[in-house]
C-alpha cells in the first residue's frame, strides 16, 4: 500500500511540473519566415509497412521528407546499411529519398525481398521511416492430383474440398462450371470461408461432372483452376431424414483470436435433412447492434470493427424439425498498439521547458521505447536538458544544441507504431508579419479584427495602443487573442483611427501600425413587395437603399436566383425594376441584391402572373422538394450544404428544414439539424466527429411541408476525443452495503469515435481518500459493493474512446444504500382537542440513526373500544404520514367517547423504523347520531304507539330522548308543537288524547351530556270516527300498523308551455282514489279553480292558461277528509309578439287564406275517400265524447293531441273501451276500438276476456303519413312530452 502511494505521489508531482511548463511556440505558416528558420527533418510520405509488390513491375519504395536545410537520405536493408551506389538496378530520385528498383530491365523481385528503413538527416537531427517489408506477390499453380468421382446417397451430406495453392496475398475462391457460370448457392449448398463447397444434404439435381474451384490472385491478375470434380447422387426410397450435425467447425468448442478494429468472421455449416437453419447468440450478452451482419445464409456471423468488449463465447445453433446441434466459439480480441497520445513537434526558445509525450494502448500492453535521431536513447549522446520518464521526455532549460528528432516506438506481439517528433530550439527577435499601415474597413455594430501576426523566440508579448502614442488598450470592450489579433466585438463610428501593435521579447522589440475605418451599414429602406399581375400588364418592383457615402453600392436584380432574362421588356432603373407586357414565364421570385465592398443585403418578392378575367382560382399547394444537394468546404467540424428550391406552387417558401442521417450509428433514422429562412439556399452546418452524415432538405410554405429531397452524398467526419460526458449521473444504493452508479449513456454520434467506454470514479465524501476508478464498456450502470451504510460519495463518470478522454467531468454527490431506521421517536404526547380531533407530538430521532433520507414520520392509530358500549371490535389501524422533519400532526375523524392507541415511526427510503411504545388516549363525549329507527303502530281514535331503536353511534352516555310532534290540517298547515322528554332507558311510548282522523308529524332525537343529536321524522294518522267511515273504503285486513306518509300525495311537478301545463304527482294510499287538481293565479285571493281527474291517473293537463302568468297548483284526493298535497308554483311561457298591423285587410293575406282554404278542402276530400277505404281515422272525437282528454298524448312540438291508428287491417271492433284498472273489457262502456289502445292487431285476450296489452306508448316523433304508432301512450310518456 505504501508503494502504491509513493507512485501516486511521484505521478502527481510530474503532472504539477508539466502544468508549470511554458507552452511550446507555434510557428506561423508564413512562407518567407519558414524559409529563414532552421527545422529538423520530418517524414512526409513513406510506403506501407507490409508492401506486396508485383514481381513484373519496377519496385518503388517511397520516402519523402522536409526540413531546413533540406535533408539527405540513407537506407538500411535487413538492419544493415544499404549502399545504393553499388547496385546498378537501384536509383534514388533527385531531392528525395524514394528508391526505384529496376525490375523490368533484368532485375528479379525476389532478390529485393527484405526489411527497408529510410533515414532523413540534416544538421538539426534525423527522422526515420517505418520498417517497410518488401515481398513480391505469388500466384502458384495447383498441384496435380487425381480426383475420384463422388458417389453420394440422396439426403447425405457432402464436402467438396478446394485446397487452393498458398499465394501472397491469399487468393479469392469461387466455384463455377465448365461454362464459367457461378454455381447457385442456398441454405442447402454454400461455400465455406476456407473455399470448400458444403452440401447440407444432396439432391438428385446435384449430379454433375463440372464442379470447378477457381482461385483469383488479384495482385498478378491471374486465375488458377482446379481439376473438375464429379458428383453422382443415387436415390434410395424412402429418403431418411436426419437431425443436424456440424460439418465445420468440428467438436463442441473452438477458439478464435482476432485483432481490434478488424472484421470478425465466425462460421457454422451443418448437415441434416431437412436443411438446418442456423442461429447465432452471444452467451451472457447481446450481439453488437449496427456492427453485426449475417452472411452466407446466416452460416457466417460478421462483426465489423471489433473491440475488446466483443470478446466472449459465441454459440451457433443448427436446428431442423428432428433436433439441433450447437458449437461454442470462444473469441478473444487482442489489439496491436494504437495511439492514445502521439508525440508532437516542439519549438522552444533557449532556456524554456517542454515535454514529448508518447502514450499508446494495446492488448497486451505495448512497450514504449525512445530513440534520438534514429539511435536508441540509451546509447545516444547525452543531453543534460533531457530526462526520460517512461512514456514522457522532459526538457528543462534547453539550448540550441538540444535540437533533435526523437522517435517513439510502441510495440507488442501484434505490431508496432513509430512516430517522429522534433525538438527545435530557436532564438529569434520579434517579427511582425502583418503589413504596415494595413487598412481595415468594417460595418458599424459588427466585429473588427485587427491582425498582428508575429513570431519570436522566446515568444514575444503583444500590446495594443490607440494611436501612435496613445495609452495601452485594456477593458472588456476589447478581446486580445493569443495570435496577436485585437478584436473589437462591436465597432462603432468613433472606433475609427490608428492602432499600434507592439511585440517584445528579451532579444528585441518591434511595432506596427494599422488603420481602422467604421462605415454605416447598407440598408434597403423600401423593399420589393409581392405582386399579382394580369397577363400582358406592367409591374414594377422598388428597391430604395441607404448606404455609407464612402462606399459605392451596386444593385443587381435576380429572377429565381439567376440572371434576369436578356429581354428588352425588363427595364432596370436606379432603384426599381419594371417589367413590361408581362407573360406567364415572368412568374417567379425577384431579388434585389445590394453589394458594397464590406456588406451585402437583399430582399425578394414573388410575382404571380394570372390570366385576364375571368380569373380562375389560384391553386395553392405544398412546395416541391428541393434538389441538387451539394456539400462543399468539408472540414472536421463543419460543412457547407447548398440546394436548389423546388416549385413553391403559388405559396412563397417560408423556410427550409435540414435533416441528417447517421449512416454509421442509426442508418435510416433522420434527425432535425436546423432551419433557415426561405430565401436562403446555403447553410454552414456544424458537425460532430465520427458520424457518417447524409443530409436532406424539406421546403415549408403556408400550405405545409414538401416531401424530403433526395439525400446528399455521405460525409464521414474524423474521429476525435468525446466532447461531453454522460448526463444524469446518480449514485443511489439498492442495498445497505452497495452504491449503484447510473448515468445516461452517450448517443452513438456523441461518442466521437470507436471504442466508447466510461471511466467511473468514486470516493467517500469528507474523508481523505483517493479516487477509485474502473473503466467499463458502453453500459449505463456500475455497482460498488462493500460500502458503509448511507454515507455520501463523490462520483464522476468520464467518457473515453480509442482516441482519448472527454473533458474532466463534474462531480455529483450520491449515497450508498439505506437501511431501516434504528430508533423510534421518543416523548410521544397526545393532546385531545375535541371529540373527533387530537394532536400528537414527538421528539425527532437523531439523523445518524435514520440511516437514509428522512422522508417523514408515520402515525399508526386505532380504536380500542367505545367507552359507551365497552365492547371490543376488529382493530382497523389507520395511518397518517407527515412529510419531512415534522414533530407533530393532527388526527382527524376520531369517534367520540372512545379509547384509542397510537405509535409513531420514522420513515426513510428503505422503509419504517421501530414503533414507539403505544400511547393510549380517550376522546370526550359528543352528540349522538339519530335513533336507528322510529315506528308508529296501533293507531286508535285518540292514540298512537311509538317505538324506536338506540342510535347507531351513541358517542357518549345517553341522558334522554326528545320527542316533538304537531298536527297537520287539510291545507297542510302545521299546528302547535308539543315537546316531551323521555328517559334514556325507554324504547317505546303511547301517545294519548290525540284528535281522531288527524295527521301528526313527529320529530325524535337522542341526547348526551354534550347536547342533542340529529333527529328522525315520521308522520302518521289517527283512525276516523266510526260514524264518519261510511262510504269510505275500509283498510285491508291486517292493517294494524300505520304506514308512514299514508295516504300521501308528493312530488307534484309541472311542465308549462304558453297556454297549458302538464301536472304530475306521486300517490301513496288506498286504491281507486279520485283525484282533483286545484289551481289559481299565484298571489291572488280568488277562490281555487277545481278540475276533476277521471280515473286513477297521476297526471293532468291544464288548458286555457294565460301566457307569462305565475300559477299555484295543488292536487287532492276526494273522500279522504279533504286530503291535499303541498302547493307548487309554475309560470307559463311568454306570448309571441305580434305585429301591429291588421293583416286581415292586406290583399296578399286574403289571397293566401283563399289558397289555404282550397288546399284544406282538397285534403278533406282525400281523407274522406281514404277513410271509406279503411285507412287511419282520428280518435280525438271519441275522446272528447268521453270527456277524458288527459289520456291523450301531446305532440312534442305544439302540445296538440295526436291521433291513433291501427297499423295493419284497419278494421275497428264495433264495441270496446279503454282497459280499466282491473284490466277487464266491458263492451257496453265504450264504442272505441281496442286496437286504438292496445298493440294493434297484436292485442290479445285472456280466457276470461281480460286484455293483455297495457298502455305503453313509444315516445318517438313518428312520420305524419301512414306510420303512426298504434300504441296508446302511458301517463309517463305523456308527462315526458312536456319536459
Amino acid at each position: 500500500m505504501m508503494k502504491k502511494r509513493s507512485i501516486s505521489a511521484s505521478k502527481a508531482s510530474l503532472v504539477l511540473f508539466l502544468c508549470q511548463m511554458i507552452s511550446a511556440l507555434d510557428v506561423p505558416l508564413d512562407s518567407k519566415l519558414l524559409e529563414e528558420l532552421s527545422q529538423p527533418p520530418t517524414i512526409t510520405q513513406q510506403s506501407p509497412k507490409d508492401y506486396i509488390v508485383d514481381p513484373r513491375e519496377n519496385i518503388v519504395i517511397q520516402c519523402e521528407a522536409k526540413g531546413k536545410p533540406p535533408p539527405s537520405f540513407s537506407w538500411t536493408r535487413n538492419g544493415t546499411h544499404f549502399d545504393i551506389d553499388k547496385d546498378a538496378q537501384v536509383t534514388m530520385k533527385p531531392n528525395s529519398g524514394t528508391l526505384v528498383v529496376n525490375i523490368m530491365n533484368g532485375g528479379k523481385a525476389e532478390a529485393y525481398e527484405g526489411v527497408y528503413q529510410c533515414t532523413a538527416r540534416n544538421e538539426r537531427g534525423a527522422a526515420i521511416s517505418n520498417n517497410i517489408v518488401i515481398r513480391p506477390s505469388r500466384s502458384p499453380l495447383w498441384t496435380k492430383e487425381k480426383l475420384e468421382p463422388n458417389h453420394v446417397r440422396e439426403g447425405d451430406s457432402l464436402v467438396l474440398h478446394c485446397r487452393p495453392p498458398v499465394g501472397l496475398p491469399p487468393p479469392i475462391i469461387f466455384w463455377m462450371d465448365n461454362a464459367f457460370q457461378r454455381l447457385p448457392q442456398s441454405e442447402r449448398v454454400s461455400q465455406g470461408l476456407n473455399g470448400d463447397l458444403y452440401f447440407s444434404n444432396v439432391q438428385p439435381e446435384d449430379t454433375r461432372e463440372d464442379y470447378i474451384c477457381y482461385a483469383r490472385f488479384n495482385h498478378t491478375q491471374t486465375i488458377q483452376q482446379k481439376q473438375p470434380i464429379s458428383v453422382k447422387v443415387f436415390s434410395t426410397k424412402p429418403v431418411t431424414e436426419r437431425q443436424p450435425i456440424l460439418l465445420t467447425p468440428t467438436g463442441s468448442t473452438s477458439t478464435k483470436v482476432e485483432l481490434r478494429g478488424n472484421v470478425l468472421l465466425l462460421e457454422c455449416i451443418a448437415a441434416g435433412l431437412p436443411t438446418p437453419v442456423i442461429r447465432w447468440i452471444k452467451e451472457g450478452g447481446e450481439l453488437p447492434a449496427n456492427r453485426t451482419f449475417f452472411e452466407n445464409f446466416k452460416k457466417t456471423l460478421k462483426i465489423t470493427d471489433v473491440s475488446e468488449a466483443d470478446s466472449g463465447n459465441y454459440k451457433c445453433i443448427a436446428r431442423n424439425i428432428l433436433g439441433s446441434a450447437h458449437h461454442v466459439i470462444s473469441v478473444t480480441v487482442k489489439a496491436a498498439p494504437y495511439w492514445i497520445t502521439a508525440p508532437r513537434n516542439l519549438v522552444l526558445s533557449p532556456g524554456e521547458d517542454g515535454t514529448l509525450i508518447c502514450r499508446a494502448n494495446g492488448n497486451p500492453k505495448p512497450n514504449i521505447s525512445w530513440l534520438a535521431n534514429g539511435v536508441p536513447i540509451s546509447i545516444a549522446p547525452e543531453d543534460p536538458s533531457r530526462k526520460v520518464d517512461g512514456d514522457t521526455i522532459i526538457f528543462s532549460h534547453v539550448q540550441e544544441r538540444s535540437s533533435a528528432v526523437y522517435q517513439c516506438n510502441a510495440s507488442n506481439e501484434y505490431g508496432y507504431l513509430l512516430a517522429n517528433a522534433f525538438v527545435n530550439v530557436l532564438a529569434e527577435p520579434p517579427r511582425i508579419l502583418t503589413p504596415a499601415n494595413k487598412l481595415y474597413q468594417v460595418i458599424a455594430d459588427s466585429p473588427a479584427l485587427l491582425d498582428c501576426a508575429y513570431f519570436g523566440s522566446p515568444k514575444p508579448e503583444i500590446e495594443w495602443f490607440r494611436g501612435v502614442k496613445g495609452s495601452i488598450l485594456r477593458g472588456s470592450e476589447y478581446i486580445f487573442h493569443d495570435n496577436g489579433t485585437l478584436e473589437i466585438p462591436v465597432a462603432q463610428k468613433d472606433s475609427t483611427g490608428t492602432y499600434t501593435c507592439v511585440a517584445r521579447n528579451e532579444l528585441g522589440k518591434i511595432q506596427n501600425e494599422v488603420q481602422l475605418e467604421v462605415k454605416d451599414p447598407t440598408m434597403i429602406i423600401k423593399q420589393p413587395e409581392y405582386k399579382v399581375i394580369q397577363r400582358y400588364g406592367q409591374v414594377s418592383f422598388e428597391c430604395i437603399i441607404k448606404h455609407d457615402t464612402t462606399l459605392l453600392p451596386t444593385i443587381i436584380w435576380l429572377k429565381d436566383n439567376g440572371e434576369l432574362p436578356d429581354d428588352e421588356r425588363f427595364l432596370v432603373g436606379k432603384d426599381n425594376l419594371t417589367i413590361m407586357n408581362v407573360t406567364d414565364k415572368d412568374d417567379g421570385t425577384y431579388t434585389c441584391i445590394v453589394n458594397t465592398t464590406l456588406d451585402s443585403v437583399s430582399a425578394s418578392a414573388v410575382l404571380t402572373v394570372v390570366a385576364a378575367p375571368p380569373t380562375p382560382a389560384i391553386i395553392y399547394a405544398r412546395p416541391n422538394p428541393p434538389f441538387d444537394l451539394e456539400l462543399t468546404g468539408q472540414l472536421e467540424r463543419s460543412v457547407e450544404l447548398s440546394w436548389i428550391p423546388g416549385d413553391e406552387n403559388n405559396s412563397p417558401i417560408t423556410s427550409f428544414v435540414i435533416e441528417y442521417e447517421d449512416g454509421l450509428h442509426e442508418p435510416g433514422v433522420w434527425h432535425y439539424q436546423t432551419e433557415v429562412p426561405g430565401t436562403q439556399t446555403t447553410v454552414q452546418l456544424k458537425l460532430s466527429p465520427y458520424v457518417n452524415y447524409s443530409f436532406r432538405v424539406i421546403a415549408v410554405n403556408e400550405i405545409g411541408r414538401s416531401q424530403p429531397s433526395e439525400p446528399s452524398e455521405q460525409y464521414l467526419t474524423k474521429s476525435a476525443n468525446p466532447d461531453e460526458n454522460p448526463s444524469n449521473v446518480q449514485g443511489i444504493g439498492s442495498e445497505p452495503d452497495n452504491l449503484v452508479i447510473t448515468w445516461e449513456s452517450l448517443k452513438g454520434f456523441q461518442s466521437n469515435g470507436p471504442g466508447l467506454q466510461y471511466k467511473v470514479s468514486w470516493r467517500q465524501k469528507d474523508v481523505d481518500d483517493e479516487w477509485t476508478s474502473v473503466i467499463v464498456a458502453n453500459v449505463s450502470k456500475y455497482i460498488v459493493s462493500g460500502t458503509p451504510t448511507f454515507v455520501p460519495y463523490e462520483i464522476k463518470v468520464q467518457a473515453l474512446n480509442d482516441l482519448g478522454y472527454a473533458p474532466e467531468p463534474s462531480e455529483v454527490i450520491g449515497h450508498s444504500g439505506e437501511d431501516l431506521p434504528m430508533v423510534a421517536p421518543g416523548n410521544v404526547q397526545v393532546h385531545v382537542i375535541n371529540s373527533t380531533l387530537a394532536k400528537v407530538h414527538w421528539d425527532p430521532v437523531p439523523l445518524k440513526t435514520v440511516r437514509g433520507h428522512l422522508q417523514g414520520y408515520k402515525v399508526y392509530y386505532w380504536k380500542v373500544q367505545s367507552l359507551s358500549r365497552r365492547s371490543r371490535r376488529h382493530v382497523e389501524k389507520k395511518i397518517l404520514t407527515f412529510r419531512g422533519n415534522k414533530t407533530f400532526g393532527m388526527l382527524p375523524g376520531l369517534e367520540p367517547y372512545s379509547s384509542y392507541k397510537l405509535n409513531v415511526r420514522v420513515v426513510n427510503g428503505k422503509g419504517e423504523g421501530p414503533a414507539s411504545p403505544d400511547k393510549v388516549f380517550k376522546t370526550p363525549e359528543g352528540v349522538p347520531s339519530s335513533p336507528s329507527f322510529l315506528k308508529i303502530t296501533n293507531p286508535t281514535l285518540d292514540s298512537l304507539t311509538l317505538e324506536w331503536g338506540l342510535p347507531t353511534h351513541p358517542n357518549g352516555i345517553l341522558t334522554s330522548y326528545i320527542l316533538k310532534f304537531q298536527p297537520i290540517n287539510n291545507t297542510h298547515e302545521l299546528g302547535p308543537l308539543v315537546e316531551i322528554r323521555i328517559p334514556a332507558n325507554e324504547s317505546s311510548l303511547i301517545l294519548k288524547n290525540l284528535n281522531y282522523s288527524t295527521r301528526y308529524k313527529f320529530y325524535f332525537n337522542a341526547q348526551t351530556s354534550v347536547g342533542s343529536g340529529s333527529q328522525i321524522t315520521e308522520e302518521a294518522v289517527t283512525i276516523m270516527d266510526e260514524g264518519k267511515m261510511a262510504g269510505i273504503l275500509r283498510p285491508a285486513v291486517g292493517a294494524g300498523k300505520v304506514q308512514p306518509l299514508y295516504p300521501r300525495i308528493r312530488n307534484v311537478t309541472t311542465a308549462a308551455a304558453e297556454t297549458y301545463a302538464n301536472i304530475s304527482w306521486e300517490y301513496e294510499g288506498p286504491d281507486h282514489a279520485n283525484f282533483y287538481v286545484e289551481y289559481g293565479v299565484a298571489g291572488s285571493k280568488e277562490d281555487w279553480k277545481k278540475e276533476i281527474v277521471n280515473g286513477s291517473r297521476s297526471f293532468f293537463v291544464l288548458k286555457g292558461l294565460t301566457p307569462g302568468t305565475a300559477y299555484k297548483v295543488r292536487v287532492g284526493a276526494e273522500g279522504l277528509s279533504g286530503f291535499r298535497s303541498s302547493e307548487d308554483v309554475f309560470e307559463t311561457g311568454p306570448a309571441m309578439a305580434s305585429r301591429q298591423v291588421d293583416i286581415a285587410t292586406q290583399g296578399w293575406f286574403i289571397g293566401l287564406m283563399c289558397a289555404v282554404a282550397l288546399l284544406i278542402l282538397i285534403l278533406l276530400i282525400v281523407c274522406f275517400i281514404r277513410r271509406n277505404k279503411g285507412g287511419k281515422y282520428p280518435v280525438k272525437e271519441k275522446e272528447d265524447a268521453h270527456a277524458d282528454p288527459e289520456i291523450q298524448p301531446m305532440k312534442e312540438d305544439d302540445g296538440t293531441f295526436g291521433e291513433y291508428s291501427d297499423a295493419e287491417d284497419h278494421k275497428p271492433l264495433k264495441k270496446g273501451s279503454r282497459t280499466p284498472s282491473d284490466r277487464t273489457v266491458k263492451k257496453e262502456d265504450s264504442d272505441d276500438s281496442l286496437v286504438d289502445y292496445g298493440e294493434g292487431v297484436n292485442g290479445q285476450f285472456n280466457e276470461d276476456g281480460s286484455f293483455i296489452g297495457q298502455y305503453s306508448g313509444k315516445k318517438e316523433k313518428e312520420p305524419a303519413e301512414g306510420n303512426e304508432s298504434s300504441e296508446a301512450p302511458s301517463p309517463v310518456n305523456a308527462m315526458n312530452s312536456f319536459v
Side-chain angles (χ1 to χ4, degrees), residues 256-278:
K256 172 81 171 180
V257 176
E258 191 56 77
L259 291 184
R260 177 182 180 273
N262 288 353
V263 175
L264 173 66
L265 293 173
L266 304 178
E267 180 181 59
C268 273
I269 301 177
L273 185 66
T275 302
V277 176
I278 303 295

Side-chain angles (χ1 to χ4, degrees), residues 210-321:
D210 57 349
Y211 286 94
I212 305 174
C213 181
Y214 289 86
R216 184 174 70 224
F217 297 89
N218 283 345
H219 238 73
T220 58
Q221 297 296 311
T222 58
I223 296 178
Q224 306 289 354
Q225 172 184 339
K226 186 182 178 74
Q227 292 289 332
I229 302 175
S230 174
V231 174
K232 294 182 180 180
V233 181
F234 60 90
S235 300
T236 58
K237 301 296 183 179
V239 178
T240 304
E241 294 184 338
R242 300 175 179 83
Q243 70 180 28
I245 59 171
L246 289 172
L247 298 176
T248 182
T250 58
S252 60
T253 61
S254 60
T255 60
K256 172 81 171 180
V257 176
E258 191 56 77
L259 291 184
R260 177 182 180 273
N262 288 353
V263 175
L264 173 66
L265 293 173
L266 304 178
E267 180 181 59
C268 273
I269 301 177
L273 185 66
T275 302
V277 176
I278 303 295
R279 185 168 68 92
W280 291 88
I281 62 173
K282 182 180 182 183
E283 294 182 344
E286 299 289 336
L287 295 174
N290 302 326
R291 295 189 293 114
T292 300
F293 304 92
F294 297 101
E295 297 179 345
N296 198 16
F297 309 99
K298 292 193 175 181
K299 299 175 186 178
T300 302
L301 171 65
K302 176 181 177 181
I303 300 177
T304 61
D305 193 21
V306 295
S307 64
E308 288 85 344
D310 295 319
S311 297
N313 293 332
Y314 293 80
K315 179 188 286 187
C316 68
I317 304 169
R319 187 184 304 276
N320 67 9
I321 58 176

Side-chain angles (χ1 to χ4, degrees), residues 623-931:
N624 293 348
F627 57 94
D628 266 6
L629 273 66
E630 183 180 4
L631 296 179
T632 56
Q634 289 93 337
L635 299 175
E636 291 187 4
R637 293 294 184 103
S638 67
V639 71
E640 185 175 275
L641 173 67
S642 60
W643 62 91
I644 298 176
D647 193 343
E648 62 187 17
N649 294 326
N650 298 316
S651 179
I653 295 174
T654 57
S655 62
F656 292 101
V657 177
I658 291 87
E659 296 180 339
Y660 73 92
E661 174 199 28
D662 180 3
L664 195 60
H665 303 100
E666 294 181 291
V669 180
W670 290 91
H671 301 275
Y672 173 85
Q673 172 89 6
T674 187
E675 187 170 352
V676 298
T679 56
Q680 188 172 330
T681 57
T682 61
V683 64
Q684 192 79 15
L685 301 175
K686 294 183 179 179
L687 306 180
S688 296
Y690 196 55
V691 177
N692 196 10
Y693 282 98
S694 290
F695 300 97
R696 68 183 187 185
V697 183
I698 299 170
V700 182
N701 63 10
E702 291 185 356
I703 308 304
R705 295 161 64 104
S706 73
Q707 292 294 320
S709 68
E710 291 296 321
S712 70
E713 60 180 302
Q714 290 187 330
Y715 176 47
L716 177 62
T717 55
K718 293 183 180 180
S719 303
N721 294 17
D723 291 327
E724 52 189 300
N725 288 303
S727 59
N728 197 21
V729 178
Q730 293 182 333
I732 303 174
S734 60
E735 298 295 336
D737 61 348
N738 75 7
L739 171 66
V740 181
I741 302 174
T742 60
W743 60 90
E744 288 186 9
S745 300
L746 299 182
K747 304 295 182 185
F749 72 90
Q750 294 175 307
S751 64
N752 283 8
L756 178 63
Q757 294 178 301
Y758 300 102
K759 180 181 179 182
V760 184
S761 305
W762 67 92
R763 67 180 178 187
Q764 191 170 334
K765 192 174 183 294
D766 301 328
V767 175
D768 186 13
D769 200 357
E770 295 182 353
W771 288 96
T772 303
S773 301
V774 65
I775 294 180
V776 299
N778 189 9
V779 295
S780 59
K781 181 172 72 173
Y782 184 78
I783 301 177
V784 180
S785 302
T787 64
T789 300
F790 196 68
V791 296
Y793 277 86
E794 294 176 313
I795 302 166
K796 57 183 180 181
V797 180
Q798 186 177 22
L800 69 150
N801 60 20
D802 292 347
L803 280 79
Y805 287 84
E808 185 67 21
S810 57
E811 300 171 8
V812 299
I813 303 300
H815 288 80
S816 55
E818 302 182 54
D819 206 346
L820 294 177
M822 302 171 58
V823 177
N827 192 25
V828 178
Q829 301 292 330
V830 181
H831 171 58
V832 178
I833 297 175
N834 55 41
S835 60
T836 61
L837 181 66
K839 185 175 184 180
V840 58
H841 293 262
W842 61 87
D843 290 342
V845 300
L847 288 179
K848 65 180 180 180
T849 67
V850 176
R851 299 201 294 180
H853 294 286
L854 176 63
Q855 294 189 355
Y857 293 85
K858 281 188 178 181
V859 177
Y860 285 73
Y861 65 100
W862 62 95
K863 179 179 175 181
V864 178
Q865 66 178 19
S866 172
L867 298 178
S868 59
R869 298 181 181 177
R870 299 294 179 182
S871 61
R872 296 182 179 271
R873 63 172 185 175
H874 172 69
V875 176
E876 179 184 353
K877 290 188 176 182
K878 298 181 180 179
I879 306 173
L880 283 178
T881 302
F882 300 95
R883 299 291 179 187
N885 198 18
K886 291 190 67 174
T887 58
F888 67 91
M890 307 299 287
L891 305 182
L894 304 176
E895 294 186 16
Y897 205 52
S898 299
S899 175
Y900 280 86
K901 285 185 178 181
L902 66 76
N903 57 52
V904 185
R905 311 174 191 196
V906 66
V907 183
N908 65 11
K910 187 73 174 178
E912 302 174 4
S916 65
D918 290 350
K919 186 75 175 181
V920 179
F921 67 96
K922 297 178 182 180
T923 54
E925 290 187 74
V927 297
S929 63
S930 62

Side-chain angles (χ1 to χ4, degrees), residues 421-435:
F422 64 66
V423 176
N424 195 12
V425 181
L426 298 174
E428 296 287 337
R431 307 183 192 189
I432 294 181
L433 308 178
T434 301

Side-chain angles (χ1 to χ4, degrees), residues 502-514:
V502 177
R504 60 165 58 90
N505 68 8
E506 59 191 40
L507 300 179
K509 168 186 172 183
I510 192 171
Q511 69 180 38
N512 187 38
E513 297 175 5
V514 295

Side-chain angles (χ1 to χ4, degrees), residues 568-587:
E568 60 184 11
R569 296 182 300 108
F570 289 79
L571 305 177
V572 178
K574 177 183 177 183
D575 52 13
N576 62 14
L577 168 66
T578 302
I579 307 174
M580 312 290 292
N581 196 20
V582 173
T583 63
D584 289 339
K585 65 180 181 181
D586 299 330
D587 197 284

